[in-house]
């Protein structure tokens, strides 16, 4: 806004116009002059005039009428009436209709200055008032935007947030909190906790944390399972004002279902391992006790020798179980197979098949290897690949009856190196196919009953391939053999 005050002097007497113009011009106003009412109103319509000196007695439009029209155009324009004694009454009338002041003719320069000064101060003050009002409006607007922004942020937090005031009434609840508490729609705030929270124990826990100022140490937490089966951890913290006074509490609800599930899986795993170790150890223990008894009674028999050799087999089984478990845990910790290098899969397979051939021969099985020429290498730890193929080929040998056939084939489609291990063995029922990669899962039927194993081999294979970015799939049907297909990224 331009700070210079624009003034207009309306008088039919030229010398008065000039005198007023000169004085107020020196006081800093930009002055225009008009000799009658019509001209004055025209100027006011076109320009931003703030102060008008108006003679009441003019030919044409009468001063009072001009004042009325100025007010209609812009109420904020200050009008100072110039009047002769004869029109004093009319001047008073004009004042009643909102003129700011009047100055009787003849007037001295000082009188004019005093009156003008007052008017200018008034205009200055109203400008300041207007500026402050605008600023206040703007600040309030900013505050309102800030408030709605914070509200939006709290509403979209992934954790549940619920706030109570010092009287224990709920004053805020975000979307996640509503979800966790099973409240479908947005409810009116301002009710006690019980109105929104069904779980009595949770209500009691939050209530126990109300009206307490924060103390040293970790405040207690609470966890519960909600209606949708989610595990929620609840933390309550007091809200304290600037003067240290208690204002209410903020309740945070965190979904800890994933951590809880992981915890359960860990416990299940420990339970399974303990079980797998316990039964063979118990048997070995009994068998030892039996043999010792015989030795004490000095009547060792042939049976004792057989018992001892069975116990020895069992300890070998236990050893391989522990070795597999160690492999798995190393794999999961990311500590296994870090010696990554370029590996020629064909060389690795021929060495390995030659090594396993004796096992196959023992069962009268044929073990064949065919490899496409120009097989691209892969990028991996060779020991990891050995472990994958050794598990698959050993399984093929184990789960194929005597006289069967095992074929190992390696080929490439350019992008991938595919290794197939195919057998003419028992095959796997579709219901078991999904589960054989789980830890400890073993198919138990007539044919597999006497085959020893840990149930960890395929879990290790899967773990290694996940690590390498490879994949494994299988095709099998009971009585028709199985084919396991490993796919690895070719390296060029
Ligand atoms: P393990 O052989 O020690 O039992 P694995 O994890 O290697 O453990 O295999 C899990 C189960 O999958 C085996 O117990 C067996 O029932 C089945 N399985 C694996 N490979 C074959 C196969 N080639 N033919 C038939 N069944 C198989």
């Amino acid at each position: 806004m331009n700070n210079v005050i624009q003034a207009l002097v309306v008088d039919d007497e030229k010398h008065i116009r000039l005198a007023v113009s000169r004085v107020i011009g020196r006081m800093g106003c930009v002055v225009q002059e008009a000799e009658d009412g019509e001209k004055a109103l025209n100027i006011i319509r076109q320009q931003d005039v703030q102060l008008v000196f108006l003679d009441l007695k003019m030919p044409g439009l009468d001063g009072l009428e001009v004042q009325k029209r100025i007010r209609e155009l812009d109420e904020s324009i200050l009008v100072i009436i110039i009047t002769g004694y004869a029109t004093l009454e009319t001047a008073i009338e004009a004042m009643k209709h909102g003129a700011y002041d009047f100055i009787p003719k003849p007037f001295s320069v000082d009188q004019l200055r005093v009156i003008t000064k007052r008017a200018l101060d008034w205009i200055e003050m109203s400008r300041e008032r207007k500026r402050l009002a605008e600023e206040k409006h703007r600040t309030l607007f900013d505050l309102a935007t800030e408030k709605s922004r914070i509200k939006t942020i709290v509403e979209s937090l992934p954790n549940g947030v619920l706030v109570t005031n010092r009287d224990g009434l709920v004053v805020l609840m975000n979307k996640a909190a509503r979800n966790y508490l099973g409240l479908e729609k947005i409810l009116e705030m301002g009710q006690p906790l019980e109105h929104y929270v069904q779980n009595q124990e949770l209500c009691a826990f939050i209530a126990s944390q109300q009206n307490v100022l924060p103390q040293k140490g970790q405040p207690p937490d609470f966890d519960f399972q909600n209606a949708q089966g989610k595990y929620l951890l609840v933390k309550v913290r007091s809200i304290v004002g600037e003067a240290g006074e208690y204002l209410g509490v903020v309740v945070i609800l965190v979904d800890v279902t994933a951590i809880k599930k992981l915890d359960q899986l860990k416990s299940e795993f420990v339970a399974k391992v303990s079980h797998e170790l316990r039964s063979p150890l118990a048997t070995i223990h009994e068998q030892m006790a039996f043999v010792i008894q015989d030795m004490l009674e000095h009547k060792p028999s042939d049976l004792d020798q057989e018992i001892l050799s069975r116990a020895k087999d069992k300890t070998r089984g236990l050893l391989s179980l522990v070795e597999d478990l160690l492999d798995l845990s190393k794999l999961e910790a990311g500590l296994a197979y870090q010696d990554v290098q370029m590996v020629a899969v064909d060389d690795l397979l021929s060495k390995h098949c030659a090594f396993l051939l004796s096992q196959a021969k023992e069962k009268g099985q044929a073990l064949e290897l065919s490899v496409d020429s120009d097989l691209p290498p892969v990028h991996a730890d060779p020991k990891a690949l050995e472990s994958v193929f050794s598990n698959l080929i050993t399984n093929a040998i184990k789960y194929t009856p005597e006289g069967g056939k095992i074929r190992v084939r390696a080929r490439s489609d350019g992008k991938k190196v595919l290794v197939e291990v195919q057998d003419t063995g028992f095959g796997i029922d579709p219901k078991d196919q999904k589960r054989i990669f789980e830890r400890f899962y073993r198919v138990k039927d007539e044919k597999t009953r006497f085959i020893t194993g840990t149930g960890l081999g395929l879990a290790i294979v899967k773990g290694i391939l996940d690590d390498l970015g490879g994949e494994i799939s299988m095709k099998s049907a009971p009585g028709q053999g199985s084919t396991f297909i490993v796919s690895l990224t070719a390296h060029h």
Side-chain angles (χ1 to χ4, degrees):
M1 196 206 285
N2 185 359
N3 275 328
V4 178
I5 291 169
Q6 291 210 36
L8 174 64
V9 184
V10 193
D11 202 312
D12 55 333
E13 291 176 70
K14 194 174 177 197
H15 71 278
I16 300 224
R17 287 204 308 267
L18 282 176
V20 176
S21 292
R22 194 160 353 108
V23 173
I24 64 173
R26 283 199 200 121
M27 293 177 79
C29 296
V30 173
V31 195
Q32 295 186 75
E33 294 172 22
E35 66 225 45
D36 61 41
E38 285 295 352
K39 284 193 180 125
L41 289 169
N42 266 339
I43 293 176
I44 290 171
R45 270 188 212 107
Q46 282 159 24
Q47 293 172 39
D48 184 22
V49 174
Q50 290 111 41
L51 176 61
V52 178
F53 287 84
L54 178 63
D55 182 17
L56 274 190
K57 255 185 113 202
M58 287 181 298
L61 266 184
D62 145 81
L64 272 184
E65 183 59 27
V66 178
Q67 190 212 345
K68 200 177 132 210
R69 296 211 192 158
I70 293 177
R71 271 190 77 80
E72 280 166 10
L73 285 175
D74 184 348
E75 257 190 354
S76 71
I77 296 175
L78 288 198
V79 178
I80 295 172
I81 301 295
I82 305 173
T83 166
Y85 280 110
T87 52
L88 200 57
E89 300 263 308
T90 341
I92 293 167
E93 189 65 25
M95 293 290 287
K96 276 190 197 156
H97 284 92
Y100 175 71
D101 208 343
F102 73 95
I103 179 164
K105 281 193 272 196
F107 47 80
S108 70
V109 169
D110 281 345
Q111 274 177 317
L112 180 60
R113 272 210 198 105
V114 171
I115 283 179
T116 309
K117 174 84 172 61
R118 262 202 327 146
L120 294 182
D121 285 351
W122 173 264
I123 292 172
E124 205 47 62
M125 256 165 55
S126 358
R127 279 181 176 172
E128 185 65 13
R129 258 204 315 274
K130 206 169 152 201
R131 199 181 58 74
L132 285 175
E134 276 170 4
E135 192 165 286
K136 191 172 156 201
H137 178 78
R138 214 176 30 243
T139 322
L140 283 178
F141 179 75
D142 285 352
L143 271 179
T145 337
E146 187 63 29
K147 232 170 112 183
S148 74
R149 188 168 20 198
I150 291 176
K151 225 174 136 186
T152 317
I153 293 171
V154 172
E155 182 68 10
S156 8
L157 283 175
N159 291 343
V161 178
L162 182 153
V163 179
T164 68
N165 65 11
R166 79 184 78 181
D167 302 321
L169 304 176
V170 177
V171 290
L172 186 151
M173 201 191 300
N174 72 352
K175 193 169 165 212
R178 293 195 296 276
N179 275 344
Y180 292 156
L181 296 171
L183 302 166
E184 268 153 32
K185 50 185 184 352
I186 303 179
L187 298 173
E188 187 113 342
M189 295 288 98
Q191 300 289 323
L193 210 58
E194 294 73 19
H195 183 76
Y196 313 93
V197 183
Q198 306 268 305
N199 188 318
Q200 297 297 314
E201 285 174 13
L202 176 58
C203 280
F205 172 71
I206 297 173
S208 74
Q209 302 298 304
Q210 276 167 335
N211 285 304
V212 281
L213 286 173
Q215 286 149 6
K216 278 209 181 95
Q218 193 74 353
D221 295 336
F222 178 82
D223 57 272
F224 73 105
Q225 200 177 6
N226 75 359
Q228 297 111 49
K230 283 202 164 102
Y231 289 95
L232 296 165
L233 180 71
V234 184
K235 289 175 188 272
V236 181
R237 300 293 181 265
S238 303
I239 308 170
V240 180
E242 276 176 15
E245 75 279 23
Y246 168 82
L247 293 178
V249 294
V250 51
V251 180
I252 310 285
L253 298 135
V254 187
D255 183 353
V256 289
T257 314
I259 301 173
K260 204 87 177 178
K261 286 254 162 75
L262 214 65
D263 221 40
Q264 275 174 0
L265 278 180
K266 213 169 104 187
S267 313
E268 274 171 31
F269 181 68
V270 171
K272 269 187 186 162
V273 172
S274 319
H275 176 81
E276 294 293 325
L277 292 172
R278 192 177 178 277
S279 359
L281 273 176
T283 319
I284 294 168
H285 180 82
E286 272 168 31
Q287 289 168 332
M288 297 292 195
F290 189 89
V291 176
I292 289 172
Q293 189 61 38
D294 273 359
M295 285 168 77
L296 282 178
E297 289 167 10
H298 297 290
K299 47 171 191 182
S301 65
D302 288 350
L303 186 61
D304 287 339
Q305 200 171 351
E306 196 191 317
I307 287 174
L308 277 182
S309 93
R310 263 193 273 147
K312 186 174 154 253
D313 285 349
K314 278 224 150 47
T315 52
R316 195 175 50 212
L318 279 173
L319 260 179
S320 56
L321 173 65
V322 172
E323 272 156 15
D324 280 357
L325 279 172
L326 282 174
D327 272 0
L328 254 186
S329 75
K330 268 200 231 151
L331 201 63
E332 277 165 11
L335 297 172
Y337 310 125
Q338 290 174 328
D339 180 21
V340 177
Q341 48 184 276
M342 216 67 88
V343 184
V345 179
D346 36 5
D347 286 352
L348 188 128
L349 282 174
S350 29
K351 272 186 210 145
H352 220 65
C353 284
F355 174 70
L356 289 171
L357 193 61
S358 58
Q359 263 189 48
K361 271 192 178 147
E362 263 177 41
K363 288 187 78 178
Q365 294 166 338
L367 174 58
E368 270 175 21
L369 170 68
S370 66
V371 182
D372 275 9
S373 55
D374 299 334
L375 199 69
V378 298
H379 204 225
D381 184 327
K383 291 220 165 54
L385 293 180
E386 255 171 46
S387 172
V388 167
F389 299 131
S390 138
N391 268 299
L392 293 178
I393 301 169
T394 318
N395 275 353
I397 298 172
K398 270 183 357 187
Y399 300 103
T400 298
E402 307 224 332
K405 190 172 172 186
I406 290 122
R407 272 187 60 187
V408 180
R409 247 185 89 196
R411 59 195 162 89
S412 173
D413 62 0
K415 285 187 188 145
K416 303 269 174 205
V417 171
L418 300 162
V419 180
E420 275 181 25
V421 179
Q422 187 180 23
D423 63 52
T424 56
F426 310 134
I428 304 160
D429 196 281
K431 74 171 168 31
D432 296 314
Q433 288 182 10
K434 280 189 238 96
R435 303 203 55 194
I436 53 172
F437 292 95
E438 287 174 18
R439 295 161 176 164
F440 298 116
Y441 192 82
R442 305 199 66 213
V443 180
K444 291 206 176 93
D445 60 24
E446 282 306 303
K447 297 188 181 98
T448 58
R449 231 161 57 139
F450 297 107
I451 301 171
T452 55
T454 61
L456 291 174
L458 289 178
I460 292 173
V461 167
K462 182 85 175 57
I464 294 174
L465 290 172
D466 282 349
D467 229 32
L468 289 178
E471 274 166 27
I472 184 159
S473 60
M474 64 159 311
K475 284 183 260 173
S476 181
Q480 292 178 27
S482 316
T483 307
F484 285 80
I485 304 146
V486 171
S487 149
L488 299 160
T489 308
H491 203 275
H492 292 284

